[in-house]
Each structure stands twice: as C-alpha cells, then as structure tokens.
Amino acid sequence: MKSTREEVVAALSTVADPISGKNIVAAGMVRGLLVEGSSVRFVIETHAAHVERLSEIKAEAEQIVLALPGIGTVSVVLTAHAPKAAEPPDLGRPGRKVEEGPQPLPGVDHIIAVASGKGGVGKSTVAANLAVALASMGCRTGLLDGDVYGPSQPRMLSISGRPASPDGNIILPLRNFGVTVMSMGLLTMEDEAVVWRGPMLMGALSQMLTKVQWGALDIMLVDLPPGTGDVQMTLCQKVKVTGAIIVCTPQDIALLDTRKGIDMFQRLDVPIIGMIENMATHVCSNCGHEEHIFGQRGVELEAAKLEVPLLAKIPLDISIRSGADDGVPVVVSRPGSASAAVFGNLANKVRGCVASC
C-alpha cells in the first residue's frame, strides 16, 4: 500500500512552525511536493534569518513522512526566500570576524565554471565531454550541473537514480565514466519543470556545493546556465572559482551575449581561462566538403581581442550530438575519432592552465 499525495500533505500539516504558530502547510512553507512511487521530495521554504532555527523542523517533517505506509525515501531541502542581510563589520570589537569573500571548497583543488552568454551553443555537451576526458587522464573530476532550470548532465552521462543521504544532511553524489556528478535533474522527474524564484535557486546551488560529499577532487567543472543571473553570481561569491571557460559559436549574435558574460566574470574577479569555439566547422560525411555554418573565426578573433587563449575549435559533428543524446560522450563512444581528439587536447590545456594557477 502506497501513500497518496493528500496523505503526505496531511502528515506535514501536523508539523508546527515555531515562528508563525501555524503548521508548515498552512504557513505556505511546503513547496515543490512530489510523490513518485515510494519516494517523496519537497522543499521547506522560510526566511533566511530562520533557517538555523528550522533545521529541527526539517528533520521532523522527514521522519513523519517516512513513517507513512509505502514511503521508502524522503528528500527535503530547507531553503530561504530572501537573502540574509549582512551585518556591518564591527571593527571596534576585538575578535569580531570581518565578512569574508569567496572561500575554497574543502577537498576541491580547482573549480572551473563552464559558461556561455547565450543558450544553444553546446555548453553542456562540451562540459560533459571535457569532464570525461579529464577523468580518463587520471584527473579526479567532478561535474556540478548548475543549470537548475534545464539540467541535462544526467542524460548526457547516463546517470539515473536518486542520490542517497544517509544522515539526512549530506548528499552522496552519483558517478559514471569516472566523473562524480550532482544535478537537480537527479532530484526531479525528467519532464518536471523547476518553478522556483531566484533565492530558491541560490539555496539549491549552495546545497549542491556544500552539502554534497564531493570527496577529493583535482577539478570540479560547474556547468552554468546561459546568461548572467543569480546562479553565476552565487557561485562566484560563495566559493573560490579558479577561472571560467567561455563556450560560444562563431556567430555574431552569439558573441554579443558572450561579451556580457565575460564582463560579468571580470566584475566578479574571476579570471577567464580561455574560450572555446563550438560548432566551428562542418565537414560533410558524404563528400568531404567543409563549410562554416555559423560563421568563421568569430570566437578566435574575440579571444585574441581579449588576450585570452583559444582553447579549442570543436566541429559540428553528428557523433558529438548523438553521443550526448545517447548518454555516451564521444570521447567514450568513439575514442579514436577526430572529435574525441579535440576534447583530449582541450583537457590537456585545461589541466595545464590550472596547474599554473
């Protein structure tokens, strides 16, 4: 016998909110409730100032739902709907800690943002292949899918299932092709939209950074959503980012948005490791004719203008696309191909860049 969504709601209605005096359902604190078979997932949303006080409420809600018939796993995220106001530093009081900037992530040597100013340029496909290529070289590699609205890394890396949390606090990431992976796509159904406000996204990203048992990593790649929004700023303000890799097609219209993305990283004091020109050229598999569908040398010229390295020119190749759709990156499905060699060279350059940081 399995519990219904209504039964889960009824159970959560017995959990009191000590702040408002109402139950957490009536107080509007339960968000994104999903009952899928024996698994239940939901968010408890509160004001940032009350997060620490409500940690016990999270545990109570989890235990109450877990006690329902047919419920095997419960995943609860406690997040804030408003940023916590920073206290002004009190320099006159000895021992008072002045507000700090981005901090290193324990166990992770280098965090590299993989970003694009515009969607549809193949950023996630590049991130997946780069991660697997780095892992194949013996580099301890992690991949955080920061594209919360459109997480695609579980599909691209053939990862399924729900991450476990033995203590209800730390999440155990999943792993494939030698890459340790965490993604919102592992916590939601594939066709389920994430309808969250900016602060909730920031809370989710923070938890995937600090509440996941990443272990010891040489490099963590963060596949960011396109544009210059909350996720990008949260990442760069919360943890120390070694640098950013910018992915773009050579098309002029894509480069317009890319310049904005580069400007954002510069404002956040994040170095640009280099640029990648994706879909640079297409060679017909029948006749061998080469054509530059999205323009020619656009990213190369932009990199020269910014005085940053052009890390790779990746072709528009059907094997790269099919590898992403099939969940087997081209560096695995066709390791001896020219496309796989491009990603291998890219991985070598990235390793060299972080080694000199």
Side-chain angles (χ1 to χ4, degrees), residues 154-224:
R155 174 71 175 268
M156 290 186 176
L157 294 173
S158 292
I159 293 177
S160 59
R162 307 297 179 193
S165 178
D167 62 357
N169 183 36
I170 299 299
I171 301 171
L172 304 182
L174 301 183
R175 186 176 173 86
N176 199 14
F177 303 121
V179 180
T180 303
V181 181
M182 185 60 201
S183 169
M184 276 298 297
L186 298 172
L187 302 175
T188 60
M189 297 177 65
E190 191 173 33
D191 56 353
E192 178 188 1
V194 177
V195 188
W196 285 358
R197 298 190 296 270
M200 293 184 69
L201 294 179
M202 292 185 283
L205 179 66
S206 295
Q207 292 209 356
M208 288 195 292
L209 279 167
T210 62
K211 296 297 185 181
V212 170
Q213 189 175 329
W214 288 105
L217 297 178
D218 298 315
I219 295 176
M220 175 193 286
L221 300 178
V222 182
D223 179 15
L224 290 172

Coordinates of all heavy atoms in Angstrom, one line a residue, residues 154-224:
P154 N 22.6 14.5 -16.3 CA 22.2 13.1 -16.1 C 22.0 12.3 -17.4 O 22.4 11.2 -17.5 CB 21.0 13.2 -15.2 CG 21.1 14.5 -14.5 CD 21.8 15.4 -15.4
R155 N 21.3 13.0 -18.3 CA 21.0 12.3 -19.6 C 22.3 12.1 -20.4 O 22.6 11.1 -21.0 CB 20.0 13.2 -20.4 CG 19.8 12.8 -21.8 CD 18.9 11.5 -21.9 NE 18.6 11.1 -23.2 CZ 17.4 11.5 -23.8 NH1 16.6 12.3 -23.1 NH2 17.2 11.2 -25.0
M156 N 23.2 13.2 -20.4 CA 24.4 13.1 -21.2 C 25.4 12.1 -20.7 O 26.2 11.6 -21.5 CB 25.0 14.5 -21.3 CG 24.2 15.5 -22.1 SD 25.2 17.0 -22.3 CE 24.0 17.9 -23.4
L157 N 25.3 11.8 -19.4 CA 26.3 10.9 -18.8 C 25.7 9.6 -18.3 O 26.3 8.8 -17.6 CB 27.0 11.6 -17.6 CG 27.9 12.8 -18.0 CD1 28.4 13.5 -16.7 CD2 29.0 12.4 -18.9
S158 N 24.4 9.3 -18.8 CA 23.8 8.1 -18.5 C 23.7 7.8 -17.0 O 24.0 6.7 -16.5 CB 24.5 6.9 -19.2 OG 24.3 6.9 -20.5
I159 N 23.3 8.8 -16.2 CA 23.2 8.7 -14.8 C 21.7 8.8 -14.4 O 21.0 9.7 -14.8 CB 24.0 9.8 -14.0 CG1 25.5 9.5 -14.3 CG2 23.7 9.7 -12.5 CD1 26.4 10.6 -13.7
S160 N 21.3 7.8 -13.6 CA 19.9 7.8 -13.2 C 19.8 7.4 -11.7 O 20.8 7.0 -11.1 CB 19.0 6.9 -14.0 OG 19.5 5.6 -14.0
G161 N 18.7 7.5 -11.1 CA 18.5 7.1 -9.7 C 18.6 8.4 -8.8 O 18.8 9.5 -9.3
R162 N 18.3 8.2 -7.6 CA 18.3 9.3 -6.6 C 19.5 9.3 -5.7 O 19.8 8.2 -5.2 CB 17.0 9.3 -5.8 CG 15.7 9.2 -6.5 CD 15.5 10.4 -7.4 NE 14.3 10.3 -8.2 CZ 14.0 11.1 -9.2 NH1 14.8 12.0 -9.5 NH2 12.8 10.9 -9.8
P163 N 20.2 10.4 -5.5 CA 21.3 10.5 -4.6 C 20.8 10.1 -3.2 O 19.8 10.6 -2.8 CB 21.8 11.9 -4.7 CG 21.3 12.4 -6.0 CD 20.0 11.7 -6.2
A164 N 21.6 9.4 -2.5 CA 21.3 9.0 -1.1 C 21.8 10.0 -0.1 O 22.7 10.8 -0.4 CB 21.9 7.6 -0.8
S165 N 21.1 10.0 1.0 CA 21.6 10.9 2.1 C 21.4 10.1 3.4 O 20.4 10.2 4.1 CB 20.7 12.2 2.2 OG 21.1 13.0 3.3
P166 N 22.5 9.4 3.8 CA 22.3 8.5 5.0 C 22.0 9.2 6.3 O 21.3 8.7 7.1 CB 23.7 7.9 5.1 CG 24.3 8.0 3.7 CD 23.8 9.3 3.2
D167 N 22.5 10.5 6.4 CA 22.2 11.2 7.7 C 21.2 12.3 7.5 O 20.9 13.0 8.5 CB 23.5 11.8 8.2 CG 24.1 12.8 7.3 OD1 23.6 13.0 6.2 OD2 25.2 13.4 7.7
G168 N 20.6 12.4 6.3 CA 19.6 13.4 6.1 C 20.1 14.8 5.9 O 19.4 15.8 5.9
N169 N 21.5 14.9 5.9 CA 22.1 16.2 5.7 C 23.1 16.2 4.5 O 22.9 17.0 3.7 CB 22.9 16.5 7.0 CG 23.5 17.9 7.0 OD1 23.0 18.8 6.4 ND2 24.7 18.0 7.6
I170 N 24.0 15.3 4.5 CA 25.0 15.2 3.4 C 24.5 14.3 2.3 O 24.0 13.2 2.6 CB 26.4 14.7 3.9 CG1 26.9 15.7 5.0 CG2 27.4 14.6 2.8 CD1 27.1 17.1 4.5
I171 N 24.6 14.8 1.1 CA 24.1 14.0 -0.1 C 25.3 13.3 -0.7 O 26.4 13.9 -0.9 CB 23.4 15.0 -1.1 CG1 22.3 15.7 -0.5 CG2 23.0 14.2 -2.3 CD1 21.7 16.8 -1.3
L172 N 25.1 12.1 -1.1 CA 26.1 11.3 -1.8 C 25.9 11.4 -3.3 O 24.8 11.0 -3.8 CB 26.0 9.8 -1.4 CG 26.1 9.5 0.1 CD1 26.1 8.0 0.4 CD2 27.4 10.1 0.7
P173 N 26.8 12.0 -4.0 CA 26.6 12.2 -5.5 C 26.7 10.8 -6.2 O 27.1 9.8 -5.7 CB 27.8 13.1 -5.9 CG 28.8 12.8 -4.9 CD 28.1 12.5 -3.6
L174 N 26.3 10.8 -7.5 CA 26.4 9.7 -8.3 C 27.7 9.8 -9.2 O 28.3 10.8 -9.3 CB 25.2 9.5 -9.1 CG 23.9 9.3 -8.3 CD1 22.7 9.1 -9.2 CD2 24.0 8.2 -7.3
R175 N 28.0 8.7 -9.9 CA 29.3 8.6 -10.6 C 29.1 7.8 -11.9 O 28.5 6.7 -11.9 CB 30.3 8.1 -9.7 CG 31.8 8.1 -10.3 CD 32.7 7.6 -9.2 NE 34.0 7.4 -9.6 CZ 35.0 8.4 -9.7 NH1 34.6 9.6 -9.3 NH2 36.2 8.2 -10.2
N176 N 29.7 8.2 -13.0 CA 29.8 7.4 -14.2 C 31.0 8.0 -15.0 O 31.3 9.1 -15.0 CB 28.5 7.5 -15.0 CG 28.4 6.3 -16.0 OD1 29.1 5.3 -15.9 ND2 27.5 6.4 -16.9
F177 N 31.5 7.1 -15.8 CA 32.7 7.4 -16.7 C 33.8 8.1 -15.9 O 34.6 8.9 -16.4 CB 32.3 8.4 -17.8 CG 31.2 7.8 -18.7 CD1 30.0 8.5 -18.8 CD2 31.3 6.6 -19.4 CE1 28.9 8.0 -19.7 CE2 30.3 6.1 -20.2 CZ 29.1 6.8 -20.3
G178 N 33.9 7.7 -14.6 CA 35.0 8.3 -13.8 C 34.7 9.7 -13.3 O 35.6 10.3 -12.6
V179 N 33.5 10.2 -13.5 CA 33.2 11.6 -13.1 C 32.1 11.5 -12.0 O 31.1 10.8 -12.1 CB 32.6 12.4 -14.3 CG1 32.3 13.8 -13.9 CG2 33.6 12.4 -15.5
T180 N 32.4 12.3 -10.9 CA 31.4 12.5 -9.8 C 30.5 13.6 -10.2 O 30.9 14.7 -10.5 CB 32.2 12.8 -8.5 OG1 33.1 11.8 -8.2 CG2 31.2 12.9 -7.3
V181 N 29.2 13.3 -10.1 CA 28.2 14.2 -10.7 C 27.0 14.5 -9.7 O 26.6 13.6 -9.0 CB 27.5 13.6 -12.0 CG1 26.5 14.6 -12.6 CG2 28.6 13.3 -13.0
M182 N 26.6 15.8 -9.6 CA 25.4 16.2 -8.9 C 24.6 17.1 -9.8 O 25.2 18.0 -10.4 CB 25.8 16.8 -7.6 CG 24.6 17.1 -6.7 SD 23.7 15.6 -6.3 CE 22.1 16.3 -5.9
S183 N 23.3 16.9 -9.8 CA 22.5 17.7 -10.6 C 21.1 17.8 -10.1 O 20.6 16.8 -9.5 CB 22.4 17.1 -12.1 OG 21.4 17.7 -12.9
M184 N 20.4 18.9 -10.3 CA 19.0 18.9 -9.9 C 18.1 17.9 -10.7 O 17.1 17.5 -10.3 CB 18.4 20.4 -10.2 CG 18.7 21.3 -9.1 SD 17.9 20.9 -7.5 CE 16.2 20.9 -8.0
G185 N 18.6 17.5 -11.9 CA 18.0 16.5 -12.7 C 17.9 15.2 -12.0 O 17.1 14.3 -12.4
L186 N 18.7 15.0 -11.0 CA 18.7 13.7 -10.2 C 17.6 13.8 -9.1 O 17.3 12.8 -8.5 CB 20.1 13.4 -9.6 CG 21.2 13.2 -10.6 CD1 22.5 13.1 -9.9 CD2 20.9 12.0 -11.5
L187 N 17.1 15.0 -8.8 CA 16.2 15.2 -7.7 C 14.8 15.5 -8.2 O 13.8 15.6 -7.4 CB 16.6 16.3 -6.8 CG 18.0 16.2 -6.2 CD1 18.4 17.4 -5.4 CD2 18.1 14.9 -5.3
T188 N 14.6 15.6 -9.6 CA 13.3 15.9 -10.2 C 13.0 14.9 -11.3 O 14.0 14.2 -11.8 CB 13.2 17.3 -10.7 OG1 14.2 17.4 -11.7 CG2 13.4 18.3 -9.6
M189 N 11.8 14.8 -11.7 CA 11.5 13.9 -12.9 C 12.0 14.6 -14.1 O 12.1 15.9 -14.2 CB 10.0 13.7 -12.9 CG 9.4 12.9 -11.7 SD 7.6 12.7 -11.8 CE 7.5 11.6 -13.2
E190 N 12.3 13.8 -15.2 CA 12.9 14.4 -16.4 C 12.0 15.4 -17.0 O 12.5 16.4 -17.6 CB 13.2 13.2 -17.4 CG 14.1 13.7 -18.5 CD 14.5 12.5 -19.4 OE1 13.7 11.5 -19.5 OE2 15.6 12.5 -19.9
D191 N 10.7 15.3 -17.0 CA 9.8 16.2 -17.7 C 9.2 17.2 -16.7 O 8.2 17.9 -17.0 CB 8.7 15.5 -18.4 CG 7.9 14.6 -17.5 OD1 8.3 14.4 -16.4 OD2 6.9 14.0 -18.0
E192 N 9.7 17.3 -15.5 CA 9.2 18.2 -14.4 C 9.9 19.5 -14.5 O 11.1 19.6 -14.4 CB 9.3 17.6 -13.1 CG 8.8 18.4 -11.9 CD 9.2 17.9 -10.6 OE1 9.8 16.8 -10.5 OE2 8.8 18.5 -9.5
A193 N 9.1 20.6 -14.6 CA 9.7 22.0 -14.6 C 10.1 22.4 -13.1 O 9.4 22.1 -12.2 CB 8.7 23.0 -15.2
V194 N 11.2 23.1 -13.0 CA 11.6 23.7 -11.7 C 11.1 25.1 -11.7 O 11.6 26.0 -12.4 CB 13.1 23.6 -11.6 CG1 13.5 24.3 -10.3 CG2 13.6 22.2 -11.6
V195 N 10.0 25.3 -11.0 CA 9.4 26.7 -11.0 C 9.8 27.3 -9.6 O 9.0 27.3 -8.7 CB 7.9 26.6 -11.1 CG1 7.3 27.9 -11.3 CG2 7.5 25.7 -12.3
W196 N 11.0 27.8 -9.6 CA 11.5 28.4 -8.4 C 11.9 29.9 -8.6 O 12.4 30.2 -9.7 CB 12.7 27.7 -7.9 CG 12.4 26.4 -7.2 CD1 11.1 25.8 -7.0 CD2 13.3 25.4 -6.7 NE1 11.2 24.6 -6.4 CE2 12.6 24.3 -6.2 CE3 14.7 25.4 -6.6 CZ2 13.2 23.2 -5.6 CZ3 15.3 24.3 -6.0 CH2 14.5 23.2 -5.5
R197 N 11.8 30.7 -7.5 CA 12.3 32.0 -7.6 C 13.8 32.0 -7.4 O 14.4 31.0 -6.9 CB 11.7 32.9 -6.5 CG 10.2 33.0 -6.7 CD 9.6 34.1 -5.8 NE 9.8 33.7 -4.4 CZ 8.9 33.1 -3.6 NH1 7.8 32.7 -4.2 NH2 9.1 32.8 -2.4
G198 N 14.4 33.2 -7.7 CA 15.9 33.3 -7.6 C 16.5 32.8 -6.3 O 17.4 32.1 -6.3
P199 N 16.0 33.3 -5.2 CA 16.6 32.9 -3.9 C 16.5 31.4 -3.7 O 17.4 30.8 -3.1 CB 15.7 33.6 -2.9 CG 15.3 34.8 -3.6 CD 15.0 34.4 -5.0
M200 N 15.5 30.7 -4.2 CA 15.4 29.3 -4.0 C 16.5 28.6 -4.9 O 17.1 27.6 -4.5 CB 14.0 28.8 -4.4 CG 12.9 29.2 -3.4 SD 11.3 28.5 -3.8 CE 11.5 26.8 -3.4
L201 N 16.7 29.1 -6.1 CA 17.8 28.6 -6.9 C 19.1 28.7 -6.2 O 19.9 27.8 -6.3 CB 17.8 29.3 -8.3 CG 16.6 29.2 -9.2 CD1 16.8 30.0 -10.4 CD2 16.4 27.7 -9.5
M202 N 19.4 29.9 -5.6 CA 20.6 30.1 -5.0 C 20.8 29.2 -3.8 O 21.9 28.7 -3.5 CB 20.7 31.6 -4.5 CG 20.8 32.6 -5.6 SD 21.1 34.3 -5.1 CE 19.4 34.7 -4.6
G203 N 19.7 28.9 -3.1 CA 19.8 28.0 -2.0 C 20.1 26.6 -2.5 O 20.9 25.8 -1.8
A204 N 19.4 26.2 -3.6 CA 19.7 24.8 -4.1 C 21.1 24.7 -4.6 O 21.8 23.7 -4.3 CB 18.8 24.6 -5.3
L205 N 21.7 25.7 -5.2 CA 23.1 25.7 -5.7 C 24.0 25.6 -4.5 O 25.0 24.8 -4.5 CB 23.4 26.9 -6.6 CG 24.8 27.0 -7.1 CD1 25.1 25.8 -8.0 CD2 25.1 28.3 -7.7
S206 N 23.7 26.4 -3.5 CA 24.6 26.4 -2.3 C 24.6 25.0 -1.6 O 25.7 24.5 -1.2 CB 24.1 27.4 -1.3 OG 24.2 28.7 -1.8
Q207 N 23.4 24.3 -1.6 CA 23.4 23.0 -1.0 C 24.1 22.0 -1.9 O 24.8 21.1 -1.4 CB 21.9 22.6 -0.8 CG 21.2 23.4 0.3 CD 20.1 22.6 1.0 OE1 19.8 21.4 0.6 NE2 19.5 23.2 2.0
M208 N 24.0 22.1 -3.2 CA 24.8 21.2 -4.1 C 26.3 21.4 -4.0 O 27.1 20.5 -4.3 CB 24.3 21.3 -5.5 CG 22.9 20.7 -5.7 SD 22.5 20.5 -7.5 CE 22.4 22.2 -8.1
L209 N 26.7 22.6 -3.6 CA 28.1 22.8 -3.4 C 28.6 22.3 -2.1 O 29.6 21.6 -2.0 CB 28.4 24.3 -3.5 CG 28.5 24.9 -4.9 CD1 28.5 26.5 -4.8 CD2 29.8 24.5 -5.6
T210 N 27.9 22.7 -1.0 CA 28.4 22.5 0.3 C 27.8 21.3 1.1 O 28.4 20.8 2.1 CB 28.2 23.7 1.2 OG1 26.8 24.0 1.3 CG2 28.9 24.9 0.6
K211 N 26.7 20.7 0.6 CA 26.1 19.6 1.3 C 26.2 18.3 0.5 O 25.5 17.3 0.8 CB 24.6 19.9 1.5 CG 24.3 21.1 2.4 CD 24.8 20.9 3.8 CE 24.4 22.0 4.8 NZ 25.0 21.8 6.1
V212 N 27.1 18.3 -0.5 CA 27.3 17.1 -1.2 C 28.7 16.6 -0.9 O 29.7 17.3 -0.8 CB 27.3 17.4 -2.7 CG1 27.8 16.2 -3.6 CG2 25.8 17.7 -3.1
Q213 N 28.8 15.3 -0.7 CA 30.1 14.7 -0.3 C 30.9 14.5 -1.6 O 31.0 13.4 -2.2 CB 29.9 13.3 0.4 CG 31.2 12.7 1.0 CD 30.9 11.5 1.8 OE1 29.9 11.3 2.4 NE2 31.9 10.6 1.8
W214 N 31.6 15.5 -2.0 CA 32.4 15.5 -3.3 C 33.6 14.7 -3.2 O 34.1 14.2 -4.2 CB 32.7 16.9 -3.7 CG 31.5 17.7 -4.2 CD1 30.9 18.7 -3.6 CD2 30.9 17.6 -5.5 NE1 29.8 19.2 -4.3 CE2 29.8 18.5 -5.5 CE3 31.1 16.7 -6.6 CZ2 29.0 18.6 -6.6 CZ3 30.2 16.8 -7.7 CH2 29.2 17.8 -7.7
G215 N 34.2 14.5 -2.0 CA 35.4 13.8 -1.8 C 36.6 14.7 -2.3 O 36.5 15.9 -2.4
A216 N 37.7 14.1 -2.6 CA 38.9 14.8 -3.0 C 38.9 14.9 -4.5 O 38.9 13.9 -5.2 CB 40.2 14.1 -2.5
L217 N 38.9 16.1 -5.0 CA 38.8 16.4 -6.5 C 40.0 17.3 -6.9 O 40.3 18.2 -6.2 CB 37.5 17.0 -6.9 CG 36.2 16.2 -6.7 CD1 35.0 17.1 -7.1 CD2 36.2 14.9 -7.4
D218 N 40.5 17.0 -8.1 CA 41.5 17.9 -8.7 C 40.8 19.0 -9.3 O 41.2 20.2 -9.2 CB 42.4 17.1 -9.7 CG 43.2 16.0 -9.1 OD1 43.8 16.2 -8.0 OD2 43.2 14.9 -9.6
I219 N 39.7 18.7 -10.0 CA 39.0 19.8 -10.8 C 37.5 19.5 -10.6 O 37.0 18.3 -10.8 CB 39.3 19.8 -12.3 CG1 40.8 20.2 -12.5 CG2 38.4 20.7 -13.0 CD1 41.3 20.1 -13.9
M220 N 36.7 20.5 -10.3 CA 35.3 20.4 -10.4 C 34.8 21.4 -11.5 O 35.1 22.6 -11.4 CB 34.6 20.8 -9.1 CG 33.1 20.9 -9.2 SD 32.2 21.7 -7.8 CE 32.4 20.4 -6.6
L221 N 34.2 20.9 -12.5 CA 33.6 21.7 -13.5 C 32.1 22.0 -13.1 O 31.4 21.2 -12.6 CB 33.5 21.0 -14.9 CG 34.8 20.5 -15.5 CD1 34.6 19.8 -16.8 CD2 35.8 21.7 -15.7
V222 N 31.7 23.3 -13.3 CA 30.4 23.7 -13.0 C 29.7 24.1 -14.3 O 30.1 25.2 -14.9 CB 30.3 24.9 -11.9 CG1 28.9 25.2 -11.6 CG2 31.1 24.5 -10.7
D223 N 28.8 23.4 -14.7 CA 28.0 23.7 -16.0 C 27.0 24.7 -15.6 O 25.9 24.4 -15.0 CB 27.4 22.4 -16.5 CG 26.6 22.6 -17.8 OD1 26.7 23.7 -18.4 OD2 25.8 21.7 -18.1
L224 N 27.2 25.9 -16.0 CA 26.3 27.0 -15.6 C 25.2 27.2 -16.6 O 25.4 26.9 -17.8 CB 27.1 28.3 -15.5 CG 28.1 28.4 -14.3 CD1 28.9 29.7 -14.4 CD2 27.3 28.4 -13.0

